[in-house]
Amino acid sequence: MHTLIQENRYILANLENNNNKWWNAQLFDDGTVVTEWGRVGERGCSKEFPSAGTQAFHARCNEKERSGYRALRVTQNGATTRISKHFLAQVATEQIRHADDATAQLI
């Protein structure tokens, strides 16, 4: 495989529809796009799209965002960072879809 140029990670968490899924996309310098998906906590599946290119990579990411997936904020290369409780609560509120006050209070 060639050099990784860009990687986007997404999550879809919706309690009402029992959704707790992740989706990742990787773009390599030869134009190959690799997507991986599955339920949180499971290994998941992957598919390779040789020579799909940058446009296909962004189109697939945009499609996921339109269908309710949220981009994840992650650290790269195993870096560790102290995160405040306030920041963690903010990210959880943005990334976990909910429709009732009880769920909001749990977040």
Side-chain angles (χ1 to χ4, degrees), residues 13 22 24 27 52 59-60 67 82-83 87 100 103:
W22 55 270
N24 302 333
L27 174 64
R60 291 181 193 283
S67 65
R82 272 208 174 282
I83 299 175
F87 178 75
D100 59 63
T103 303

Side-chain angles (χ1 to χ4, degrees), residues 10 12 58-70 97:
Y10 295 88
L12 177 63
H58 291 293
R60 291 181 193 283
C61 291
N62 290 337
E63 176 185 323
K64 289 298 175 184
E65 290 177 19
R66 282 191 304 273
S67 65
Y69 281 78
R70 304 282 212 139
R97 291 182 177 234

